């Protein structure tokens, strides 16, 4: 993402949480996550998914509304759904791993420690990644 892109000025984040992802209880970690997001000094809104495919719909909507980033809180399935909704947009995908495997996050060397992952979101460079489709999906 270039520095001249208007998304650089708008640091509004949408945080999409899959409440069913992961081994640990997100409720217990919610206050910690909220405080860490506040320290990131960005405007953010939090949404929880309610059904399969909901994260994709939410991510598409946030991209249309010009959000700088959509942060997926969950495992690889949640990240996949959010990423699917952001394909072809200028909205960045961020990840706070909370799944049982977190293969995507581990591959990108994103910390599985929530506070550190949020710090990384606020200081990392946005990169473009490839994606593919299989049978129109």
């Amino acid at each position: 993402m270039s520095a001249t892109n208007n998304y650089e000025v708008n640091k509004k984040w949408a945080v999409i949480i899959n409440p069913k992802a992961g081994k640990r209880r997100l409720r217990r970690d919610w206050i910690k996550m909220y405080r860490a997001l506040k320290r990131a000094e960005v405007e953010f809104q939090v949404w929880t998914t309610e059904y399969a495919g909901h994260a994709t719909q939410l991510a598409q909507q946030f991209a249309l509304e010009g959000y700088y980033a959509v942060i997926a809180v969950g495992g690889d399935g949640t990240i996949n759904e959010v990423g699917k909704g952001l394909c072809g947009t200028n909205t960045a995908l961020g990840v706070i791993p909370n799944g049982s495997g977190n293969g995507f996050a581990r591959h990108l060397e994103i910390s599985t420690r929530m506070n550190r992952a949020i710090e990384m979101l606020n200081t990392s460079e946005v990169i473009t990644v490839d994606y593919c489709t299989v049978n129109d999906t």
Side-chain angles (χ1 to χ4, degrees):
M1 193 173 303
S2 70
T4 58
N5 188 323
N6 67 349
Y7 287 88
E8 289 294 326
V9 176
N10 173 8
K11 285 286 198 171
K12 192 160 69 169
W13 293 358
V15 179
I16 298 176
I17 298 173
N18 179 351
K20 297 185 180 190
K23 294 179 182 177
R24 61 182 183 250
R25 292 207 171 271
L26 188 58
R27 287 182 186 146
R28 180 184 68 212
D29 292 336
W30 166 242
I31 291 174
K32 288 183 198 173
M33 184 172 67
Y34 181 80
R35 288 179 181 154
L37 285 166
K38 282 297 217 186
R39 283 192 302 273
E41 296 182 7
V42 294
E43 181 183 341
F44 66 92
Q45 290 185 309
V46 178
W47 297 85
T48 57
T49 58
E50 298 174 7
Y51 49 86
H54 193 208
T56 301
Q57 294 170 353
L58 290 170
Q60 289 170 334
Q61 183 60 42
F62 294 130
L64 286 172
E65 292 175 13
Y67 276 70
Y68 172 76
V70 176
I71 314 304
V73 182
D76 290 331
T78 306
I79 295 164
N80 182 45
E81 278 197 26
V82 172
K84 190 187 221 182
L86 298 178
C87 287
T89 73
N90 288 325
T91 301
L93 166 66
V95 176
I96 300 174
N98 191 49
S100 55
N102 300 311
F104 182 81
R106 289 178 194 280
H107 179 74
L108 293 178
E109 298 179 358
I110 298 169
S111 177
T112 55
R113 290 185 10 240
M114 182 180 37
N115 287 344
R116 179 67 185 122
I118 293 169
E119 288 173 18
M120 292 174 76
L121 287 172
N122 207 31
T123 59
S124 296
E125 179 182 332
V126 176
I127 60 170
T128 301
V129 296
D130 292 331
Y131 66 93
C132 66
T133 59
V134 176
N135 296 329
D136 298 322
T137 301

